[in-house]
């Protein structure tokens, strides 16, 4: 079968995605090696995190990513309506993530946790919050794409924009897939 | 030149070059004072020379940015400037205020200047780079607001392009963050914390937007590549700049008394700051390779490519060298900082202003697109002289810095500051020689405006 | 870019999605035991890397790409994967 030379979407978003992934990789490495010096502290405070919430959020993001895949498949067949529906469903899953994560933050903040509480919380809050901002940005991008799809702005012939937004959203998912076991489970 | 009001850029550019010459002369005095401590003492003490050297840099770059904006915005917006008269009035106000401030530095002891200008009423003086008397700072705000009004109205009433909007965001940020220079809390930690909001968020934040948009403009004009392609790159570059640059402020917060997480945030985010600069390099070379036309102004294209390369090296690579907290623990405030400062300011901001001047000045002086061959050849000579000189200045300062860190801050028996300064004196001498070459390059640059004016315009080859 | 026939893309994606849900549930289950240990931690990490690889290959569609753009996600997964593995082995005194 004929293979493509470039990934789906605008090449510029891919450069952006790689740059973002690099930032997260640096943070992951920093987390793992800082934990090395504070194993007991990390293991202790990890237990204060809500793994059920993390499960729901992981399921939300992979489901959302899957919905985006369906959206791209639909627009490739010129089905704007289907594409739009899948995109909004994906955005709804993103909103679900925001609510759950917001609940977690509210819980920690009401317990008086701050960035300066200890090194574990510093990493937990920094990493998840930085990712949190990416979920919000990803939702904004998807919403912009969905609105344009709704206006009939994309077609089977021209749908680079949909693929661009989709690729970014998958990146947000991808980062969380590492974040979840690293911060919530591995000990 | 498509719009007559673009002509207001000309005095701004001329003033910028004039002040640039002044900056370099003071740089040479300063460089000599590193090795001959009492040179020109007591007439021009070291601290005054340093203040003049850095303040002149900022002021002439601001002149350059304003000139660039006045030239660029009418063309992008496809309409005349809102008020050319206001632009000219502000030029004179800014120039006179700037000149008076510099004279104040040179003729009155700094404490006396503070008293003379009523610093007690609203104390803002005495902080590095923000030494200007409060009244000068107020003047800068007035000039910046009038300038923003002028540019903003032109952009909003005319065609809106990504280039002009990014420029407008950058210029607005420049004005807004300058307001923090009026905030001068007694708490030294807070003072430093917000001081960086002016200094860092200017040069590693909003100025990069200005740089990006000017570079994009010149590349659109000289390469003929589709605006869409260039604008897309500009989007990605500024997004990356803001993501890394804003939180990257943290790399100044390691040792000033802020919470520990700044060491992580600062290290990780500022370590990514080279990325947008690297993208800029890839972008510029890509666009020039994909060019659809041969622009007769070869000098301008050379400056544009030079900006992209030297900004990446100076701001990106030399910044990265000492940005991580564990490294910075040793290198903080050493000659490594000075090395980075020189190449970053030259590579990013000096060169982008010279790129714009190189592109616009021929038209402002009545040419259709470019200077004569003779003038361009001389200009390109000046490009190489200044660029190579700054590379050597940077290398010598880096060597001095490494030695300084090693002798003064590491090892079993760290030596006192002044002893180390004498040990690295050789590198200061070499830096001074490179500085002289830079001056020769700059004079060559100035000369390029005066030669070949009666010769025909350069034509595109082939 | 050339589009991939729907069947050749959506069906694997659906399968990938189900596998990812399953791996997530197992990861969560391991997490709920709060047991820890090097082997379990690295197993969970491996699950995450497999999931990441699936997102890159199928959801992002890099499976259908040839040349250098086939590799960035794989390489990216390898870097934090290796760092985390080394750090955890060291934390268990390895």
């Amino acid at each position: 079968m004929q293979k493509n030379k470039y990934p789906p979407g605008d090449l510029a978003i891919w450069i952006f995605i790689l740059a973002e992934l690099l930032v997260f990789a640096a943070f992951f490495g920093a987390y793992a090696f800082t934990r090395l010096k504070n194993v007991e502290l990390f293991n202790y405070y990890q237990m204060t995190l809500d793994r059920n919430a993390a499960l729901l959020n992981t399921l939300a993001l992979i489901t959302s990513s899957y919905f985006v895949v369906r959206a791209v498949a639909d627009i490739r067949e010129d089905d704007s309506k289907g594409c739009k529906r899948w995109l909004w469903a994906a955005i709804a899953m993103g909103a679900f993530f925001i609510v759950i994560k917001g609940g977690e933050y509210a819980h920690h903040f009401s317990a008086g946790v701050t960035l300066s509480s200890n090194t574990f919380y510093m990493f937990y809050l920094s990493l998840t919050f930085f990712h949190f901002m990416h979920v919000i940005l990803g939702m904004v991008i998807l919403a912009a794409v969905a609105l344009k799809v709704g206006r009939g702005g994309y077609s089977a012939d021209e749908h680079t924009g949909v693929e661009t937004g989709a690729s970014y959203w998958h990146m947000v998912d991808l980062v969380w897939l590492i974040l979840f076991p690293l911060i919530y489970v591995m000990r | 030149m498509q719009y007559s009001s673009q002509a207001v850029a000309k005095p701004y550019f001329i003033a910028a070059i004039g002040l640039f010459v002044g900056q370099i002369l003071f740089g040479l005095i300063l460089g000599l004072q590193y090795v001959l401590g009492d040179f020109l003492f007591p007439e021009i003490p070291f601290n005054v020379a340093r203040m003049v050297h850095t303040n002149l840099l900022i002021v002439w770059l601001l002149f350059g940015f304003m000139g660039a904006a006045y030239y660029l915005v009418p063309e992008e917006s496809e309409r005349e400037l809102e008020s050319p008269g206001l632009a000219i009035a502000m030029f004179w106000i800014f120039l006179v205020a700037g000149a008076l401030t510099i004279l104040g530095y040179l003729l009155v002891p700094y404490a006396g200047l503070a008293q003379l200008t009523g610093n007690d009423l609203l104390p803002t003086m005495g902080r590095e780079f923000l030494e200007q008397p409060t009244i000068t700072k107020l003047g800068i705000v007035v000039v910046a607001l009038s300038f923003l009004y002028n540019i903003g109205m032109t952009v909003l009433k005319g065609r809106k392009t990504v280039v002009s909007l990014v420029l407008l965001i950058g210029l607005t940020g420049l004005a807004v963050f300058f307001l923090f220079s009026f905030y001068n809390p007694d708490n030294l930690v807070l003072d430093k914390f917000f001081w960086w909001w002016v200094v860092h968020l200017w040069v590693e934040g909003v100025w990069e937007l200005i740089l990006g948009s000017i570079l994009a403009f010149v590349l659109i004009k000289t390469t003929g590549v589709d605006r869409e392609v260039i604008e897309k790159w500009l989007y990605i570059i500024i997004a990356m700049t803001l993501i890394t640059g804003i939180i990257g402020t943290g790399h100044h917060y390691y040792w000033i008394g802020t919470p520990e997480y700044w060491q992580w945030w600062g290290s990780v985010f500022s370590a990514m700051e080279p990325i947008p600069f690297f993208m800029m390099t890839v972008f510029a070379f890509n666009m020039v390779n994909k060019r659809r036309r041969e622009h007769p102004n070869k000098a301008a294209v050379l400056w544009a490519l030079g900006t992209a390369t030297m900004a990446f090296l100076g701001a990106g690579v030399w910044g990265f060298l000492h940005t991580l907290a564990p490294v910075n623990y040793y290198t903080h405030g050493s000659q490594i900082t000075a090395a980075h400062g020189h190449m970053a300011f030259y590579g990013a901001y000096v060169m982008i202003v010279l790129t714009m001047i190189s592109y616009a000045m021929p038209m402002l002086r009545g040419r259709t697109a470019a200077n004569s061959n003779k003038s361009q050849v001389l200009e390109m000579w000046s490009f190489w002289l200044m660029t190579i000189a700054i590379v050597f200045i940077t290398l010598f300062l880096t060597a001095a810095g490494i030695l300084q860190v090693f002798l003064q801050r590491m090892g079993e028996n760290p030596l006192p500051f002044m002893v180390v300064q004498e040990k690295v004196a050789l590198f200061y001498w070499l830096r001074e020689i490179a500085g002289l070459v830079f001056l020769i390059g700059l004079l060559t640059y100035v000369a390029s405006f005066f030669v070949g004016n009666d010769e025909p315009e350069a034509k595109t080859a082939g | 870019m050339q589009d991939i026939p729907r069947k050749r893309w959506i069906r694997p994606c659906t399968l990938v999605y189900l596998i990812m849900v399953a791996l997530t549930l197992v990861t969560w289950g391991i997490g709920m035991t709060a047991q820890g240990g090097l082997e379990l931690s690295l197993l969970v990490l491996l699950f995450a890397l497999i999931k990441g690889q699936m997102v890159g290959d199928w959801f992002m569609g890099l499976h259908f790409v040839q040349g250098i753009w086939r590799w960035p996600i794989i390489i990216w997964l390898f870097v934090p994967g290796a760092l985390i593995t080394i750090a955890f082995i060291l934390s268990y005194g390895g």
Side-chain angles (χ1 to χ4, degrees), chain B residues 341-457:
Chain B
H342 279 82
M343 203 196 247
F345 263 107
Y346 175 77
Y349 300 120
V350 171
M351 287 184 94
I352 195 61
V353 169
L354 297 189
T355 302
M356 191 64 189
I357 293 179
S358 178
Y359 171 74
M361 213 45 159
M363 273 89 88
L364 289 169
R365 298 172 81 208
R367 300 276 194 179
T368 49
N371 280 329
S372 67
N373 237 337
K374 195 169 168 186
S375 161
Q376 284 197 42
V377 166
L378 205 58
E379 191 183 341
M380 290 196 260
W381 265 98
S382 77
F383 168 95
W384 288 110
L385 280 171
M386 284 194 274
T387 305
I388 291 171
I390 211 78
V391 166
F392 276 98
I393 289 176
T394 306
L395 289 176
F396 293 140
L397 287 177
T398 308
I402 291 172
L403 211 57
Q404 181 192 8
V405 170
F406 187 72
L407 294 174
Q408 191 184 313
R409 296 178 176 173
M410 300 172 89
E412 293 282 296
N413 300 304
L415 299 174
F417 178 83
M418 283 316 288
V419 174
V420 173
Q421 290 300 304
E422 293 199 357
K423 286 191 185 293
V424 301
L426 172 67
F427 291 107
Y428 291 149
W429 278 113
L430 292 171
R431 181 268 298 269
E432 185 71 357
I433 295 169
L436 275 174
V437 176
F438 192 95
L439 180 69
I440 295 169
L442 179 58
L443 296 177
T444 312
Y445 177 73
V446 174
S448 76
F449 289 93
F450 298 98
V451 300
N453 285 338
D454 40 11
E455 292 185 18
E457 278 196 43

Side-chain angles (χ1 to χ4, degrees), chain B residues 274-287:
Chain B
I275 294 174
F277 282 109
F278 181 67
M279 289 178 179
M280 226 180 268
T281 316
V282 177
F283 160 62
F285 279 87
N286 246 326
M287 294 308 108

Side-chain angles (χ1 to χ4, degrees), chain A residues 10 12 15-16 19-20 22-23 26-27 30 34 115-116 122-123 126 130, chain B residues 232-233 236 239-240 243-244 247 259-261 264-265 268-269 272 275 279:
Chain A
D10 203 307
I15 293 171
F16 194 57
E20 297 246 63
L22 203 59
V23 181
F27 258 126
T34 308
L115 276 168
S116 297
M122 192 276 284
F123 270 107
S126 303
F130 188 45
Chain B
K232 196 168 66 193
W233 275 94
I236 299 287
M240 219 47 228
I243 288 175
T244 59
I247 306 180
E260 194 193 334
Y261 60 84
W264 289 101
W265 286 29
V268 172
F269 283 87
M272 304 296 153
I275 294 174
M279 289 178 179

